[in-house]
Amino acid sequence: LLLLLVCSFASMSLWTRNVQWTWSTISACVLFVLCLLLLIKVHLMNVTVIEHIDLVQMLENESKKHCVTTPSMFEPTEKAIFVITPTYERRTQLLDLTRVAQALQIASAKHNILWVIVEDSPVKTELVTVFIQESPLNIVHLNAKETRAGNAFKANTQRNKAIDYITGLEGVNENSVVYFGDDDNAYDHRLFDEWAKVRNVGIVPVAYSGARRVETPIVVDGKVTAFSAWYGPRKVFPVDMAAFAISLKYFLGKDGIRFQPLTTTNMGEENLLLSAGFQLKDLEPLANSCTQVLVWHVKTSTRVDAQFDSQSKHINFV
């Protein structure tokens, strides 16, 4: 096209030297104009194609933010361990999620695990999105803005959204186990060997929970008879969220159990267990009859903004 345009321009140049209106000069002039118009058209088409490609890429990126897909390596029809982790934006969020991920990565070598992370946010944040994209684990990313009031038990909205997702999986195995693994805990990978044994509801000790060195069930002749816990006899189940795992069958169907969104502080665990109809005798003591600690309640902290080195501002955490 460019060569044709040059030839046309050369013909026009000859015409300007010898100003004679002949059919050849008129044809050259017309050809030059047509080539110029064609060149403009091709340029506009290229611009349009580029704009469409950019638009498709933008829509694809947006769809990824809102679309939820089950990881291809996870098989819901097989018995699984579903780990539900509510999370919220804070300085130590990436640190805490990474700590949980390390334990799950080791445990996933032996067990069919799906990690469901639910952000307390109206949108999926970049930090968590990139963290999930770079993880080798089977992870589902959800988000739900907390709507709790005053002293309501936090993260119930997120936990319920995760439960709804899990129970909605096609062909999901009802013998699977649901565990509420918050990101403010540290986990031994062997904990998930214990959860794989759960028939109805399993329970283990939790270290550094409730201002105690360990909160633990008291086991006599293979049965839980009482608790050594902060709330002690004031509650039927004075347990931490990290202390128990429940068979998925209790969450299925129209009568499936859920967290009560407005449950008051420190009552979320007990109300969930009571809503399933569990009694003390139903608890399955694991971790060597509740004598072994495999989960710790921790509180990560970091320096305040004023203590951060200004020269490290170029370091990215995403």
Side-chain angles (χ1 to χ4, degrees):
L1 180 61
L2 185 59
L3 181 60
L4 194 57
L5 192 61
V6 170
C7 291
S8 300
F9 182 75
S11 298
M12 286 290 293
S13 298
L14 290 173
W15 172 71
T16 55
R17 294 178 186 175
N18 185 18
V19 186
Q20 295 179 357
W21 286 95
T22 64
W23 282 110
S24 61
T25 55
I26 292 173
S27 299
C29 184
V30 172
L31 185 59
F32 175 79
V33 173
L34 289 176
C35 289
L36 183 61
L37 291 174
L38 185 58
L39 190 62
I40 293 172
K41 179 67 174 178
V42 170
H43 173 72
L44 292 176
M45 288 178 63
N46 287 337
V47 171
T48 303
V49 169
I50 292 171
E51 289 177 347
H52 284 175
I53 292 173
D54 291 341
L55 179 60
V56 169
Q57 187 66 47
M58 183 186 72
L59 292 174
E60 184 180 344
N61 291 338
E62 282 298 313
S63 67
K64 288 180 180 178
K65 293 180 181 179
H66 301 287
C67 181
V68 178
T69 57
T70 305
S72 59
M73 297 297 291
F74 175 74
E75 181 48 66
T77 59
E78 297 179 6
K79 183 176 180 180
I81 300 174
F82 294 100
V83 181
I84 296 175
T85 302
T87 188
Y88 64 95
E89 190 173 358
R90 61 196 184 279
R91 189 187 299 283
T92 63
Q93 184 179 28
L94 184 58
L95 185 161
D96 292 334
L97 288 172
T98 299
R99 182 179 57 233
V100 180
Q102 298 304 313
L104 291 178
Q105 189 168 344
I106 299 173
S108 292
K110 297 173 62 176
H111 305 289
N112 185 31
I113 295 177
L114 182 65
W115 189 13
V116 185
I117 299 177
V118 193
E119 290 194 74
D120 180 2
S121 171
V123 296
K124 296 174 182 176
T125 64
E126 180 185 9
L127 185 144
V128 178
T129 299
V130 173
F131 168 79
I132 290 173
Q133 289 173 348
E134 295 182 349
S135 173
L137 293 166
N138 292 320
I139 305 177
V140 168
H141 187 191
L142 305 175
N143 65 288
K145 183 61 183 173
E146 183 60 81
T147 57
R148 67 183 185 273
N151 64 343
F153 194 80
K154 64 182 180 180
N156 280 351
T157 299
Q158 288 76 35
R159 294 186 182 102
N160 283 341
K161 182 154 187 173
I163 294 169
D164 290 341
Y165 171 83
I166 293 167
T167 56
L169 290 172
E170 185 176 356
V172 66
N173 191 315
E174 69 171 16
N175 294 316
S176 295
V177 177
V178 178
Y179 179 55
F180 302 99
D182 292 350
D183 61 0
D184 60 349
N185 296 323
Y187 303 93
D188 189 310
H189 66 90
R190 294 172 295 173
L191 174 68
F192 301 94
D193 297 337
E194 302 302 306
W195 295 145
K197 303 173 185 175
V198 171
R199 298 185 302 275
N200 293 293
V201 54
I203 194 161
V204 299
V206 178
Y208 309 137
S209 176
R212 296 174 68 95
R213 181 170 175 267
V214 180
E215 284 194 333
T216 182
I218 305 300
V219 180
V220 178
D221 296 329
K223 294 289 184 180
V224 176
T225 59
F227 290 91
S228 173
W230 181 255
Y231 282 93
R234 288 176 287 174
K235 295 170 67 175
V236 178
F237 297 111
V239 296
D240 187 83
M241 190 67 70
F244 61 91
I246 302 176
S247 172
L248 178 61
K249 62 190 175 188
Y250 290 95
F251 297 94
L252 295 170
K254 64 178 182 179
D255 296 325
I257 62 173
R258 296 292 187 275
F259 285 93
Q260 299 173 24
L262 296 181
T263 297
T264 53
T265 301
N266 300 319
M267 292 299 294
E269 300 92 342
E270 177 164 272
N271 285 349
L272 182 72
L273 293 168
L274 290 174
S275 68
F278 291 131
Q279 300 178 34
L280 204 61
K281 63 182 179 63
D282 299 317
L283 299 179
E284 301 159 27
L286 302 171
N288 293 327
S289 294
C290 293
T291 61
Q292 184 180 19
V293 171
L294 297 173
V295 54
W296 297 259
H297 188 75
V298 296
K299 183 69 174 177
T300 9
S301 61
T302 184
R303 300 180 185 277
V304 298
D305 287 334
Q307 293 175 303
F308 274 82
D309 184 354
S310 61
Q311 294 180 346
S312 67
K313 289 182 179 180
H314 65 287
I315 300 297
N316 294 319
F317 285 87
V318 179

